[in-house]
Amino acid sequence: MKQIAIIGSGPAGCYLADCLLRLMPDASIDIFERLPVPFGLVRYGVAPDHQGTKAVARVLDRVLSRDRVSFFGNVEVGRDLKLEELMLLYDAVALATGAARDRRLNIAGEELPGVLGSGAFTGWYNGHPDSHPLAIQGVRSAVVIGNGNVAIDVARILAKSATELAGSDLSPEVTAWLETQPIESIHVVGRRSAADAKFTPHELAELGTLQRACPMVQDSTALAGNNGIVETLRSFAQNKSRRASVMIYFHFNLTPIAFLGNGRLSAVQFRSADGALSEIPAQLAITCIGYETRPCCTATPANGVFANEEGKIKDRLYVVGWAKRGPSGTIPTNRTEAQQVAQKIAEEVPDRVRPGRTGVLPLLAQRQICWTDYAAWRRIDAAEVARAGDGRCREKFTAVTKMLEAAQVGQSLSCPSATA
Ligand code: NAP
């Protein structure tokens, strides 16, 4: 049996495992995940009101349930195991660690309370254990910087009414925060033209269907060009006379210059193409300008990704997903890419017997790492669904300790304390 380790259980890691199962009938695959729960960006990036998109988790779950796949949740490579150890224990190792760090604008005022990166904001509304409660209150105006689909997600979550958010897996705390903000305007600001925006037509058009919000483009001269995005924005521009309790304003050709405020954000300053400066008052600003990959032990990213040649970093070390190509593409992009990288792994992995999980299990036991296997994840999953009250499909545990309690790992073989 060839032994393969994958670090990260998001869509990139799970699709890679799925392809490897097909291409390598003699492979055993161990997936290491730093959280006790799998699915990465599907669980913590995809917006909570897009449960249809999140449903891909069922496909990824089937991969984890396969006989030749083992899930090792709550095991962080870098904290509990070293990458170098995995390289010794496995025939091939693949990094599927995503891009967890917000890119920064590096402009004045970025540290002000009220200024957040989209990773911090989407992590918060998706209940990521590393996220912090949003301390900011009294948001009447929000500025969303960036013209990609994450900017649309953020604007939509801020704009939707409580009724529209029903059925999501937003936590009661996040729902309460959203309900108590007196939001009147959301400004989505791009540094380039409308024709250059990276929104997809379906996501953009959804903003035109919201109950209490109305999208609008005040400066219709910004709408040069002829693509699906510009067409949709033109239809928004015709909303000029319509008033709604929340207005979503699109602005183009404005480069962010500074976040202004004394102790907390009060406005964002922009420069237009002709050099003119302008300000948009705001109590909340979210930068949706992409993400960077974090280092993984001795593997260090350059320009936000791990340098690679078609998925290969070096002999027996591979990379997939956003850690490979940067933060672009949709979930199915990972499936196509995984197929290519799996092919490479299947062709290149040498016929050499390494111990794989029989080598890793004693290390985890020695280090007293309480890890979650697939059955433990399913117990967390069931507990989250069971505790969801009216109006939500799931209530996530937002603390690792609560996840481990629900996983009952103390009673399973995966916890060394139970076997001691
Ligand atoms: P994105 O599509 O790359 O958009 C990033 C935006 O940030 C661009 O408008 C970019 O402008 C702008 N930007 C970058 N650096 C900037 C700077 N220094 N100052 C001002 N603006 C800056 O990235 P994303 O929205 O984070 O999305 C990531 C990926 O996830 C995308 O492939 C997206 O389609 C996907 N996604 C899909 C969905 C969905 O299908 N529902 C939902 C969410 C995300 P420039 O174009 O000028 O660089």
Side-chain angles (χ1 to χ4, degrees):
M1 273 265 185
K2 287 183 182 159
Q3 306 291 335
I4 316 284
I6 298 176
I7 306 172
S9 66
C14 289
Y15 280 129
L16 179 66
D18 193 30
C19 295
L20 287 170
L21 285 173
R22 278 181 243 273
L23 290 171
M24 299 177 72
D26 59 340
S28 165
I29 299 159
D30 292 350
I31 304 184
F32 296 90
E33 165 61 57
R34 77 185 184 92
L35 293 176
V37 292
F39 310 142
L41 204 69
V42 170
R43 187 175 157 103
Y44 291 117
V46 172
D49 62 331
H50 276 182
Q51 289 295 320
T53 310
K54 279 192 191 279
V56 73
R58 287 201 282 273
V59 175
L60 309 183
D61 196 281
R62 275 201 294 278
V63 177
L64 296 190
S65 73
R66 301 281 297 273
D67 281 348
R68 286 187 287 129
V69 175
S70 294
F71 177 65
F72 289 87
N74 201 38
V75 178
E76 184 170 341
V77 178
R79 181 190 63 189
D80 305 318
L81 294 171
K82 291 195 180 113
L83 178 59
E84 297 65 36
E85 289 171 330
L86 293 182
M87 292 296 291
L88 288 174
L89 294 172
Y90 289 85
D91 299 308
V93 177
L95 304 178
T97 49
R101 183 184 286 161
D102 278 310
R103 265 188 207 143
R104 292 176 59 83
L105 283 169
N106 294 317
I107 61 175
E110 209 162 357
E111 307 302 334
L112 277 172
V115 181
L116 272 89
S118 56
F121 191 67
T122 61
W124 166 74
Y125 69 47
N126 266 312
H128 194 291
D130 292 348
S131 67
H132 303 288
L134 211 57
I136 211 84
Q137 293 293 341
V139 176
R140 291 184 315 284
S141 168
V143 166
V144 180
I145 295 174
N147 271 183
N149 281 333
V150 171
I152 300 275
D153 280 349
V154 165
R156 190 184 64 253
I157 293 289
L158 290 171
K160 271 190 169 179
S161 63
T163 330
E164 290 171 292
L165 291 169
S168 75
D169 59 356
L170 278 171
S171 72
E173 293 74 23
V174 174
T175 309
W177 186 90
L178 288 167
E179 275 177 6
T180 49
Q181 302 314 303
I183 296 181
E184 294 163 358
S185 48
I186 299 165
H187 301 267
V188 180
V189 187
R191 64 177 169 179
R192 294 196 289 150
S193 76
D196 295 315
K198 291 176 173 162
F199 312 133
T200 47
H202 181 262
E203 272 61 30
L204 180 63
E206 191 184 348
L207 293 183
T209 66
L210 303 184
Q211 279 171 6
R212 65 166 187 171
C214 176
M216 200 214 274
V217 185
Q218 264 169 326
D219 178 9
S220 41
T221 60
L223 299 180
N226 256 325
N227 61 28
I229 297 300
V230 176
E231 290 302 321
T232 306
L233 289 163
R234 280 203 189 104
S235 73
F236 292 170
Q238 287 162 7
N239 287 336
K240 268 204 183 96
S241 55
R242 217 188 115 195
R243 300 306 303 170
S245 52
V246 179
M247 297 302 294
I248 306 172
Y249 298 101
F250 283 87
H251 307 257
F252 299 96
N253 302 308
L254 290 180
T255 301
I257 298 299
F259 296 102
L260 309 175
N262 194 358
R264 75 172 269 189
L265 179 74
S266 60
V268 188
Q269 188 178 46
F270 294 92
R271 181 183 294 126
S272 59
D274 63 4
L277 296 181
S278 58
E279 287 177 20
I280 300 178
Q283 298 75 43
L284 177 68
I286 298 158
T287 58
C288 305
I289 60 167
Y291 308 96
E292 297 173 338
T293 295
R294 287 199 183 122
C296 179
C297 295
T298 48
T300 314
N303 300 321
V305 296
F306 293 112
N308 68 91
E309 266 182 42
E310 293 169 354
K312 184 174 180 174
I313 296 177
K314 64 176 187 182
D315 197 27
R316 301 191 302 107
L317 182 62
Y318 300 85
V319 60
V320 284
W322 282 9
K324 168 182 179 278
R325 64 175 191 276
S328 66
T330 56
I331 291 167
T333 312
N334 293 295
R335 201 173 45 207
T336 320
E337 183 191 79
Q339 178 66 29
Q340 290 154 3
V341 178
Q343 187 77 44
K344 209 182 225 333
I345 296 176
E347 284 163 10
E348 294 182 352
V349 169
D351 237 347
R352 180 172 165 182
V353 184
R354 290 180 196 256
R357 81 187 59 147
T358 56
V360 103
L361 287 171
L363 273 187
L364 293 175
Q366 216 177 57
R367 292 172 192 175
Q368 309 234 314
I369 310 299
C370 207
W371 53 278
T372 50
D373 57 10
Y374 176 69
W377 146 241
R378 291 311 303 261
R379 288 193 287 274
I380 301 174
D381 183 39
E384 287 185 341
V385 172
R387 77 192 203 123
D390 279 351
R392 50 179 58 81
C393 58
R394 163 187 303 273
E395 189 176 341
K396 287 180 191 160
F397 296 106
T398 54
V400 165
T401 47
K402 296 287 174 206
M403 292 177 187
L404 293 177
E405 268 171 43
Q408 303 160 23
V409 278
Q411 294 155 36
S412 85
L413 290 179
S414 55
C415 183
S417 61
T419 53

